[in-house]
Amino acid sequence: MSQSILHKSPRIRPMGLDFKGKISISPSLNTNNTNTMSATALRSPLCISSSQSQSEAQSSSPSNSQHQLSFHLATKPKSLLQNHPLYPPTHANLSIQIQEKIIFLEIMGIDSGKALSLNPSLQSAPLHSIHSIISFLQSRGILHKDLPRIFGMCPKLLTANIKTDIDPVFNFLSQDLKVPEHNFRRVINKCPRLLVSSVRDQLKPALFWLQRLGFKDLDVLAYQDSVLLVSSVENTLIPKLKYLQGIGLSKDEAVAMVLRCPGLFTFSLENNYKPKYEYFVEEIKGELEELKDFPQYFAFSLEKRIKPRHIESVKSGVKLSLPTMLKSTDEEFNELLKRGLVKS
């Protein structure tokens, strides 16, 4: 299937679709089509029957929700598919199965063109397998409202193997990170990429390396810095440490900085480290000790925070420490300049 066809398909929210897990039929549709579509054509894990109240859906536990919602997809005759409000925007040359998949993804709130282009395997994946993945995620505490963002960020998850790809991730969360089952949702929503990362080749090696480096608090890694677990040790984490050593820090000093500010592992060398360090040395004329004491310097925007604050300080003849200059609110910063105070 041509990617250009998918991307040219208009993103339309037809009358009758609210994209919040419910579908209402437009009064303009004739009665026969309405009844048919309600009964058959709109079966979807995110399509809750209008007779089911919102309070019932919200109060149900993940396991109860599984039983209340139907995950069985009946093969729709072409005549029923053509009645669907999203049918017209799909391309006439696409197969019925692909058109049905596009409709399914769009109802979920996912950009079908992006999903199909980033995950070509989705073209041949049967819908019942996608439903099985959704059902499995719900059994692990993931809610309906979480799915559009998760699948939107990780379309490869739609064709993952539950036994060999997804289930091992939840075992890793439970056994290696000691995350209780009721907190699975919290961790996955923090970093959906966990679900498309290999436990053997990515997650366990990253956890082992980070623990050896000094990241001992599993709760912090699970709930705050989980993005580090899906980062390449060789291509992402180690190069950041080497850069910090390259500007004059010892290995222990560089490690101490990233332990204090784990976000340093997520910043780009070219777009963050290099221009900010260059400005620090050439314009601020700071000492390396200042960066050791305040590694958060690299977390502030160069153009929107560091440069404007430094320029105003120079104009006012007031020398401020990095934390005071960057962490102060606008009101506090202006007051410091007016009073000509030096604050540490």
Side-chain angles (χ1 to χ4, degrees), residues 12-288:
I12 298 177
R13 294 190 177 188
M15 182 180 299
L17 295 176
D18 62 12
F19 290 88
K20 295 181 180 178
K22 295 182 180 180
I23 295 184
S24 57
I25 306 303
S26 168
S28 62
L29 298 176
N30 65 57
T31 304
N32 292 332
N33 286 347
T34 299
N35 293 336
T36 305
M37 290 169 64
S38 301
T40 308
L42 299 181
R43 292 183 183 177
S44 165
L46 290 185
C47 301
I48 302 175
S49 169
S50 59
S51 63
Q52 181 182 15
S53 68
Q54 186 174 5
S55 60
E56 290 176 337
Q58 292 176 340
S59 63
S60 300
S61 63
S63 58
N64 289 337
S65 296
Q66 274 186 267
H67 297 296
Q68 290 178 353
L69 298 175
S70 172
F71 293 96
H72 301 289
L73 181 72
T75 301
K76 303 179 184 64
K78 184 175 180 180
S79 59
L80 296 182
L81 180 62
Q82 288 176 326
N83 287 333
H84 197 287
L86 278 177
Y87 180 85
T90 59
H91 199 278
N93 293 332
L94 302 180
S95 69
I96 296 297
Q97 290 77 16
I98 295 296
Q99 293 180 54
E100 185 177 62
K101 217 165 294 180
I102 291 174
I103 291 172
F104 175 77
L105 294 173
E106 293 291 340
I107 288 176
M108 288 180 66
I110 299 172
D111 185 331
S112 59
K114 179 180 177 181
L116 286 163
S117 63
L118 291 178
N119 183 6
S121 299
L122 191 55
Q123 298 181 29
S124 58
L127 266 178
H128 70 78
S129 70
I130 299 176
H131 281 198
S132 296
I133 291 171
I134 292 174
S135 178
F136 178 81
L137 291 176
Q138 289 181 312
S139 74
R140 294 298 184 269
I142 309 302
L143 303 183
H144 284 291
K145 63 182 181 181
D146 304 324
L147 296 177
R149 176 174 172 269
I150 291 173
F151 288 134
M153 292 179 64
C154 308
K156 288 187 178 181
L157 182 60
L158 290 163
T159 55
N161 183 289
I162 293 176
K163 182 177 180 180
T164 61
D165 300 330
I166 308 177
D167 193 36
V169 173
F170 287 99
N171 291 335
F172 171 80
L173 295 181
S174 176
Q175 298 170 14
D176 296 87
L177 287 184
K178 311 303 179 185
V179 176
E181 186 173 347
H182 65 269
N183 277 340
F184 283 167
R185 176 177 178 252
R186 179 182 169 189
V187 177
I188 294 302
N189 278 332
K190 177 68 176 179
C191 185
R193 287 170 55 196
L194 288 165
L195 291 173
V196 289
S197 297
S198 167
V199 171
R200 185 192 67 181
D201 300 330
Q202 174 61 51
L203 300 181
K204 284 194 174 184
L207 176 60
F208 178 72
W209 187 84
L210 289 167
Q211 287 181 313
R212 284 188 59 191
L213 198 66
F215 287 85
K216 303 300 183 183
D217 193 329
L218 292 178
D219 283 349
V220 172
L221 281 174
Y223 303 118
Q224 298 180 32
D225 303 322
S226 48
V227 67
L228 301 183
L229 296 170
V230 299
S231 302
S232 168
V233 173
E234 294 79 11
N235 300 323
T236 301
L237 304 182
I238 291 179
K240 307 298 172 59
L241 275 182
K242 287 185 175 180
Y243 178 83
L244 293 174
Q245 291 176 252
I247 64 176
L249 298 170
S250 67
K251 182 178 179 180
D252 288 342
E253 290 171 335
V255 169
M257 285 182 66
V258 297
L259 290 178
R260 285 186 58 192
C261 183
L264 292 174
F265 272 139
T266 67
F267 302 148
S268 164
L269 289 176
E270 295 298 327
N271 300 325
N272 189 306
Y273 279 102
K274 293 181 180 180
K276 290 179 182 178
Y277 179 69
E278 181 179 321
Y279 188 84
F280 176 77
V281 172
E282 297 180 1
E283 302 298 332
I284 298 178
K285 302 187 185 307
E287 299 293 335
L288 201 55

Side-chain angles (χ1 to χ4, degrees), residues 1-9 91 94 113 116-117 123:
M1 175 179 22
S2 171
Q3 294 182 9
S4 59
I5 291 178
L6 291 173
H7 286 296
K8 290 180 181 178
S9 298
H91 199 278
L94 302 180
L116 286 163
S117 63
Q123 298 181 29

